[in-house]
Amino acid sequence: ASQTTRFNISKMQAVITLFSSLILMTTDVDVNKNEVAEAISQMNGVTTLSFSKDMVDAIDLDIDVEDKIKHLDGDFNEIKLNIFGESTPDLASNRETILKVLNKHYKEIDLEDEDGSESDALLYTKSKGNRIYEAHLLLLDESDNTFTVISFIGDVVVTNKD
C-alpha cells in the first residue's frame, strides 16, 4: 500500500515539488532499479525522448515544505519524456499498468491545484534517507485518456535551511 502526502500546488510548481517529497521519505529502496522504465519498454506506440547527459548542479534551490525551508541540491543523470498519445495501442491498459507499477514501488505525493481542486498531475518518488533518486510526474488528460510520464533520474539531496 502506498503512502500519500498532500500539498497545495499549482501545475507550474509540480516539477519543483517532486524534489521536496524527498524529505518525507525514509524507506529502504533499490535505487538501481527503475520499474517505470522497465514497464514502458514493454509497451508499443510510446513516443520517448531521453536526455542522458549529466546535468551537474541542475537543482540548487530553496523551497517551503510544510512551513519549513528546505534546500535542494543535486544532479540529474537522465530525464525521460514518455508520451502516450491517442494513437498508442492499448492506451487504457498502459495507463493502468503504469499506475500499478508506481503505486507498488514508489511513494505518491498528492498534488492539488492552487484552488484546492485535484490536480491533473500525479507525482511519485523513490528515495533513501535524504536523497531522491527517481521522480515520475504523470500529466493526465481525462478528455481522451492520453497521458505523459516525465521521469527524472539522479541524486538530489534535501537539507534543512534553518
Side-chain angles (χ1 to χ4, degrees):
S2 68
Q3 302 171 355
T4 302
T5 304
R6 181 169 293 279
F7 287 95
N8 185 8
I9 186 168
S10 72
K11 290 176 186 168
M12 294 190 312
Q13 294 171 317
V15 173
I16 293 172
T17 302
L18 67 96
F19 297 106
S20 69
S21 64
L22 171 63
I23 62 165
L24 302 173
M25 300 180 62
T26 59
T27 58
D28 259 347
V29 294
D30 180 359
V31 297
N32 296 316
K33 187 173 182 182
N34 182 341
E35 290 86 355
V36 173
E38 288 179 21
I40 292 172
S41 71
Q42 302 300 313
M43 298 174 181
N44 294 318
V46 180
T47 301
T48 300
L49 300 171
S50 181
F51 306 92
S52 59
K53 182 177 180 183
D54 286 344
M55 291 169 260
V56 177
D57 297 327
I59 299 296
D60 186 10
L61 59 101
D62 295 330
I63 61 169
D64 181 7
V65 177
E66 297 178 349
D67 298 324
K68 295 179 183 174
I69 303 298
K70 302 292 181 177
H71 181 74
L72 304 173
D73 187 34
D75 307 327
F76 291 128
N77 300 327
E78 184 175 21
I79 300 173
K80 283 191 176 185
L81 175 67
N82 301 285
I83 302 168
F84 295 78
E86 290 178 343
S87 63
T88 303
D90 304 316
L91 187 59
S93 174
N94 287 343
R95 183 173 174 169
E96 184 178 321
T97 299
I98 295 294
L99 287 170
K100 282 181 183 177
V101 168
L102 288 168
N103 284 315
K104 182 176 180 181
H105 298 285
Y106 299 85
K107 179 179 180 186
E108 180 179 5
I109 306 302
D110 193 22
L111 305 177
E112 292 180 349
D113 287 335
E114 289 177 334
D115 65 2
S117 64
E118 188 173 320
S119 175
D120 291 337
L122 300 173
L123 176 63
Y124 295 83
T125 60
K126 182 184 282 189
S127 68
K128 185 174 183 179
N130 69 338
R131 300 179 104 81
I132 191 165
Y133 298 98
E134 291 181 44
H136 303 279
L137 182 65
L138 273 72
L139 306 174
L140 308 171
D141 186 343
E142 297 299 337
S143 67
D144 59 6
N145 276 340
T146 60
F147 64 101
T148 300
V149 179
I150 304 171
S151 299
F152 300 88
I153 311 300
D155 186 7
V156 175
V157 178
V158 178
T159 56
N160 291 324
K161 182 77 172 182
D162 303 327

